[in-house]
Amino acid sequence: TLMISYPGARIYLNNFTGNDKNNGRSWISPISTMGEALKRATRGSVIYFYGKLREQGLVTPPGLTDVTILGCGTKVRGGHTGNTPGPKGGSANWARSDRDDAVPLLTVTQQGWRFANLQLQGPYQGPSISLIRDLAGESADPLGKSAGYAEFENCVFVGPNQYGIYQEGGVNHVKIQNCWFYNFYGAGLNNVAIGGPNTSVGFPIMWEIRNNFFMASPNVIRLGLADSVITGN
């Protein structure tokens, strides 16, 4: 179970009935976009999401840590995209928009972001979720990037986009558990369920990849991990 460590704003997002002019403080008055939710989030916030998002190219705000995005409604089902929230695809479906570029659904640049009970499908030649670290992120630089301590639980990643989860710069302390990765089969693209480049900044360390399912996905992990645990998959 994901632990929520800091009290923050509770934000309710329903893109079927919501409106970004609403206060977003309950299911009675939800907002409608993840972009607006990120603007309203504070440290320790939980974004409760129901519906079918088609947003792409979002970036976590500078300095905003320890935010949870929690899919609500029915549990996601592995291997199904689901046209609407319901018994096939679950109730929290976030996929690429009609943009042609390869920008991720979301780029995480700060620590402690958590994702649970979501179905994610990124752009064909880009990641679903991108985790980024640079050296400035380990210093007092407010614009530095350090996406460590990210957690993914009970999420479904649907290919054939380039990566399900992508890391760059040596992101540390990432936990991926009880997730499904479906259709990362490498037909003409560098499709990898979990991966990213090894750079001069550093190797990714202290990852936990536990009890996940990789279906129709021969390219499972392409990552130079150190001091990490991969078990039960």
Side-chain angles (χ1 to χ4, degrees):
T1 302
L2 295 179
M3 299 301 294
I4 300 168
S5 303
Y6 302 96
R10 271 41 179 172
I11 301 165
Y12 294 82
L13 191 169
N14 182 336
N15 72 309
F16 288 106
T17 64
N19 188 307
D20 281 350
K21 294 181 180 180
N22 290 341
N23 63 34
R25 297 175 184 170
S26 71
W27 290 122
I28 298 173
S29 184
I31 59 174
S32 63
T33 66
M34 187 63 70
E36 182 65 23
L38 296 181
K39 292 177 184 177
R40 300 188 188 197
T42 58
R43 185 183 186 188
S45 285
V46 180
I47 300 170
Y48 298 97
F49 159 48
Y50 175 91
K52 185 177 181 181
L53 289 177
R54 293 298 178 264
E55 293 181 70
Q56 189 177 338
L58 300 180
V59 180
T60 59
L64 181 59
T65 65
D66 304 289
V67 173
T68 299
I69 300 178
L70 176 63
C72 297
T74 59
K75 182 178 179 180
V76 292
R77 272 75 167 175
H80 294 283
T81 55
N83 293 323
T84 60
K88 284 191 176 181
S91 297
N93 180 284
W94 184 0
R96 55 184 172 265
S97 67
D98 57 1
R99 295 174 58 169
D100 293 329
D101 50 353
V103 296
L105 304 178
L106 178 67
T107 297
V108 180
T109 64
Q110 304 297 316
Q111 294 189 358
W113 281 71
R114 304 169 176 92
F115 304 85
N117 200 33
L118 301 170
Q119 183 165 297
L120 302 150
Q121 186 172 27
Y124 287 113
Q125 300 198 41
S128 293
I129 302 293
S130 181
L131 308 174
I132 304 296
R133 170 182 174 264
D134 60 26
L135 290 177
E138 308 303 311
S139 68
D141 188 340
L143 297 180
K145 301 176 178 66
S146 182
Y149 299 91
E151 297 183 19
F152 301 85
E153 183 172 340
N154 191 38
C155 291
V156 175
F157 294 84
V158 181
N161 56 309
Q162 193 166 4
Y163 294 96
I165 298 172
Y166 171 90
Q167 84 80 38
E168 183 175 332
V171 177
N172 57 62
H173 293 89
V174 175
K175 182 182 290 185
I176 306 166
Q177 60 184 5
N178 301 320
C179 292
W180 280 70
F181 293 84
Y182 178 73
N183 223 26
F184 292 91
Y185 53 77
L189 297 174
N190 185 27
N191 296 155
V192 182
I194 302 169
N198 295 321
T199 68
S200 59
V201 176
F203 286 99
I205 63 170
M206 296 188 180
W207 284 44
E208 296 179 48
I209 303 175
R210 299 178 181 270
N211 304 322
N212 302 287
F213 297 88
F214 299 90
M215 307 298 293
S217 301
N219 298 328
V220 175
I221 301 171
R222 189 171 296 161
L223 200 58
L225 294 171
D227 301 325
S228 299
V229 175
I230 302 173
T231 186
N233 300 288

